[in-house]
């Protein structure tokens, strides 16, 4: 038996204003904005896609698991992170950190964005930290105005 811990969505939106949230049963996570540009929308390269992490909004996994998408969106991949039910009694709160890198398409590092977060298990803490780091990186990328030659990576 497994419980849904988190979901990673790799997608892009045509105008950079698409929205996504994770729905488990009747509970929904907060909506997140999916980055993208019209010039990159029909390109298939990995750097044209945005990475978003969602933590299960319920304490359990009962009900249907869905991604609620709004806007003109292309999805490259959806990754589910599962925990075994009753998988032991870990610490009540685990802190993890993650670093995202703003880099050129040819791999030269421009700037690093680090974040840390806490959760009931290590996977959720890591997902939250990576979500924060990649969001900070994507915000700097949008502010740079140079979206075609730069990308954010974990």
């Amino acid at each position: 038996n497994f419980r849904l811990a988190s979901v990673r969505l790799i997608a892009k939106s045509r105008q950079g204003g698409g929205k996504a949230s994770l729905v488990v049963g009747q509970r929904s996570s907060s909506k997140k904005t999916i980055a993208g540009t019209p010039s990159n929308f029909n390109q298939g390269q990995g750097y044209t896609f945005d990475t978003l992490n969602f933590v299960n909004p319920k304490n359990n996994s009962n009900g249907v698991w869905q991604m609620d998408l709004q806007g003109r969106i292309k999805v490259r991949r959806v990754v589910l992170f599962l925990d075994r039910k009753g998988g032991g009694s870990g610490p009540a709160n685990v802190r993890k950190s993650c670093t995202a890198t703003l880099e050129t398409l040819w791999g030269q590092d421009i700037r690093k964005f680090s974040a840390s977060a806490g959760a009931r298990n290590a996977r959720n803490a890591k997902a939250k930290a990576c979500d924060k780091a990649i969001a900070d990186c994507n915000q700097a990328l949008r502010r740079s105005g140079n979206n075609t030659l730069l990308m954010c990576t974990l």
Side-chain angles (χ1 to χ4, degrees):
N1 287 329
F2 292 94
R3 182 187 80 79
L4 179 65
S6 61
V7 174
R8 179 170 294 149
L9 174 68
I10 301 170
K12 60 182 163 183
S13 63
R14 184 173 180 91
Q15 298 294 332
K19 302 285 184 193
S21 64
L22 172 63
V23 179
V24 178
Q26 299 297 316
R27 304 260 341 241
S28 179
S29 69
S30 60
K31 291 182 191 274
K32 296 184 181 187
T33 302
I34 303 170
T37 63
S39 60
N40 287 339
F41 192 68
N42 290 319
Q43 296 181 14
Q45 294 93 335
Y47 71 87
T48 65
F49 289 86
D50 194 10
T51 301
L52 301 165
N53 293 300
F54 298 89
V55 176
N56 184 348
K58 285 182 70 174
N59 289 333
N60 61 53
S61 298
N62 296 340
V64 176
W65 304 349
Q66 299 177 12
M67 290 302 306
D68 181 23
L69 304 174
Q70 297 171 349
R72 194 139 178 221
I73 297 168
K74 287 188 179 180
V75 175
R76 184 171 200 182
R77 184 173 297 137
V78 177
V79 181
L80 303 178
F81 294 93
L82 305 174
D83 287 333
R84 286 198 181 276
K85 285 185 179 177
S89 58
N93 196 15
V94 177
R95 282 204 79 73
K96 290 289 181 178
S97 62
C98 186
T99 301
T101 304
L102 178 63
E103 62 184 39
T104 63
L105 296 182
W106 49 91
Q108 180 182 2
D109 290 1
I110 304 295
R111 188 172 166 199
K112 294 194 180 287
F113 299 85
S114 295
S116 64
R120 282 183 273 178
N121 63 53
R123 184 171 289 141
N124 285 356
K126 185 74 170 183
K128 283 182 180 180
C130 288
D131 191 32
K132 287 179 186 178
I134 203 77
D136 290 346
C137 184
N138 282 328
Q139 184 178 23
L141 176 62
R142 284 189 289 276
R143 275 185 284 177
S144 76
N146 194 1
N147 295 357
T148 57
L149 298 177
L150 301 175
M151 65 179 172
C152 291
T153 59
L154 288 176

